Amino acid sequence: MPDLDTREWLLTNGLGSFASGTVSDVRTRTYHGWLFTATNPPSGRNLLLSHLDASLEVSGSVVALGTNVWGNDRIELTGYQLLRGFDINPVPKWTWGQNNWQLTRQLVMPYGLVGIGDWGLGTRDWGLGAKNEELEIGKNASQYPIPIAPNPQGGGQVPQSQFCHRILIQYRYDGSDTAILRLRLLIAERDFHHQQTASSGLQFSELLGQQQVCLQAKKSGNFGIPWHLRWTQGKYQPDAVWYWNYGLSEETKRGLGDKEDLYSPGYLIVTLQPGDVVTLEARVGFPDSTAGVLTSETFAEAVEVEQERLSKIFGWSERGTRQELFNSQSPLWQKLLKASDRFIVYRGSIAGPTIIAGYHWFNERGRDILIALPGLVLAPQRFDLAKAVLRTFGHSCRHGLMPNTFPDDDGEPLYNSIDAALWWIETLGLYLEATQDWEFLAEQFPIVQQIHKAFIGGTHYNIQVDAIDGLISWDARGVALTWMDVVIGANPVTPRHGKPVEINALWYSALCWLSQWAERLSHLSQLKFGDPARLNKQAKRYALQAEKVKTSLQKFWNPQLGYLYDTIEPDDRRNFQIRPNAVLALSLHHCGFSEQQGCQVLDLVTASLLTPYGLRSLDPGDPEYKGRYEGNQEQRDRAYHQGTVWTWLIGPYIRAWQRFYPQQSLPFDWQPLLDHFLFNACLGSISEIFDGDSPHTPRGAIAQAWSVAEVIRHVQK
């Protein structure tokens, strides 16, 4: 699609709801729309409001401001040609214009928790389960019962406060003549992963009130999510029509469903004098008198409230000492912190905070959360938030494993990871180093011991410590338990069963932490944690195990290559591919490799894996290397860990470099990655992955938690 600026923008509300689209205002993804609402925060995301198609009548001429692609790249309503400017800060703002007029549009998605503190507690039901077909204007959602969420730490149940899913839209007209603005509603009722198709089984109820319209879908006899649109001025005209066959070019490239039908219940007509403003709000739930009056000032107030919220979070430390105010920090640092906050969301089932791994399509992923936590939460000193997330994971420990995948339906999480529990220990250690919160250590230490016992004695997937060398091994066919976790059918693309190098480096670091913590707890008599003599014995035992593992880690050294074997397979064969897992092994708080080995590894990584956007997942000289992440699902899955660049790996590379080359400057130029953050792909965030080959096109999720986290952790303020 020539001439279209398909860079993307993203708004979130702290509950899992989001809005997203492109600079040129054309929808290119299934995940583009103005109100995706998380009905079961942060899950159950559904598209309600796709967008408003705008046209402007000035001096007898009507100009279409929207841009749509139909079917296979047929562009109509070429409003992008009138687009004169776009700005992302502080909120997305478009400016269309000609010689005698100018129209701007802004969007803001207010923070969705109406509760306590940084991320609040609880929710209020907005009638999402309503069974009545007739929507009653003025019906108050408060008559629906307030649900109660279980307290994962025990001590009864946690009452939930109010959720609010909404987006505000504001248009401003400037010109020499009176203008008429027409805004056509394009709506849907579908899961955010799938497109909507017009059918006789899908209908929409519409009830018009005073400057508002209430909408609700009915699919095969089941009622959907009620929501309403209200406005400050204008006349609404019902005009039911389906628009068929929107083309979604990014989904075409990904080999996925790429056609969408959207329903329009009607349109709004607004007469505008020069300088006039019209504000609209789309909000989930029935109209509620407690929502307040919508005015022309509502939009600016919402933007100001959000700025104040961010300033409060990042301008003060969790420990109560004054820091440099958020608003006086560098613009780059402000934008990075703002980007980090998009991933912090509330989970209703635990009445507490969690982290979304990425937008648009990811939910929570245990490994990603724990790797991202130091950058997203510890670096900005959101210590209470870090503690809450770590506690939730500790409570979820089963058979020595931590959950890695959380389903959208609040079902049982999947414990399909060998390393999530080890990353939890590593991140817990970083939290304790930053906070000296030894009471929390005493609270969590039994879980640490549970993980240790499970790995020593054996747990699921034949995960067990080898009694001879002390290294962790696993052997389960048809699964992939490390971060290189793509499985096609029953076959992992990058099988790493046996003894992976970074897993055993994590195991060594965990044993070092255990030894330190047992010794410390033995001296903290005020905590009354166990018998000091017994803790001292445990500390010595953990230290001996750590020394054994450190010695055995030399099995991974490949002297011919000057690198670390990626895995030692169950039959004792070595995998000698040059992958970034060796860098992970060098970057942990406790490192079991020598200075000479670390320097040799980093020299080879710098020469073969380092790019301006992160580290490649495989050496370009390897026969299995794939330099471009593109094509259908299977083609992309086969390239995911076979050369694709992962931005989050730049963090471990920097930490390893600082350890082994402390006096030498880092051989990495931040500018390309920061330019990507500021000006490319998703403006104000960082992509999940990039092509291994130049020009390293950004791919995957448009905003990834651990990508942003590692930049925050290391870029200079």
Side-chain angles (χ1 to χ4, degrees), residues 80 116 203 241 268 283 359 364 404 417 463 482 519 569 623 637 657 696 714:
Y80 72 95
I116 302 169
Q203 298 176 333
V241 63
L268 183 68
R283 180 190 288 249
Y359 293 96
E364 301 149 280
N404 189 50
S417 165
I463 297 170
T482 73
E519 183 178 0
E569 299 182 28
D637 283 349
W657 186 272
H696 307 296
H714 291 289

Side-chain angles (χ1 to χ4, degrees), residues 111 118 308-318 323 341 380-382:
Y111 194 64
D118 188 349
E308 290 175 353
R309 184 184 72 86
L310 293 171
S311 180
K312 182 178 179 181
I313 291 171
F314 298 117
W316 295 79
S317 75
E318 303 277 352
Q323 292 181 312
D341 189 66
Q381 299 187 40
R382 302 177 76 174

Side-chain angles (χ1 to χ4, degrees), residues 207-274:
L207 193 58
L208 186 60
Q210 182 66 33
Q211 291 187 249
Q212 63 184 358
V213 60
C214 203
L215 301 154
Q216 188 176 33
K218 185 178 180 182
K219 293 191 285 188
S220 303
N222 297 315
F223 288 90
I225 303 165
W227 64 283
H228 60 281
L229 182 77
R230 56 182 183 149
W231 50 89
T232 53
Q233 62 171 309
K235 181 179 179 180
Y236 181 78
Q237 178 64 50
D239 181 34
V241 63
W242 277 96
Y243 285 78
W244 297 305
N245 211 27
Y246 283 90
L248 304 171
S249 58
E250 287 300 318
E251 308 304 346
T252 304
K253 294 176 185 177
R254 299 170 68 221
L256 301 175
D258 59 358
K259 303 295 186 298
E260 169 104 283
D261 301 334
L262 294 173
Y263 178 74
S264 176
Y267 57 89
L268 183 68
I269 303 173
V270 189
T271 300
L272 297 172
Q273 301 299 328

Side-chain angles (χ1 to χ4, degrees), residues 532-553:
R534 183 165 177 252
L535 285 166
N536 270 319
K537 288 181 181 179
Q538 288 177 338
K540 291 177 182 178
R541 186 172 76 250
Y542 296 142
L544 287 173
Q545 290 176 349
E547 282 303 311
K548 181 178 182 179
V549 171
K550 183 176 182 179
T551 299
S552 297
L553 284 175

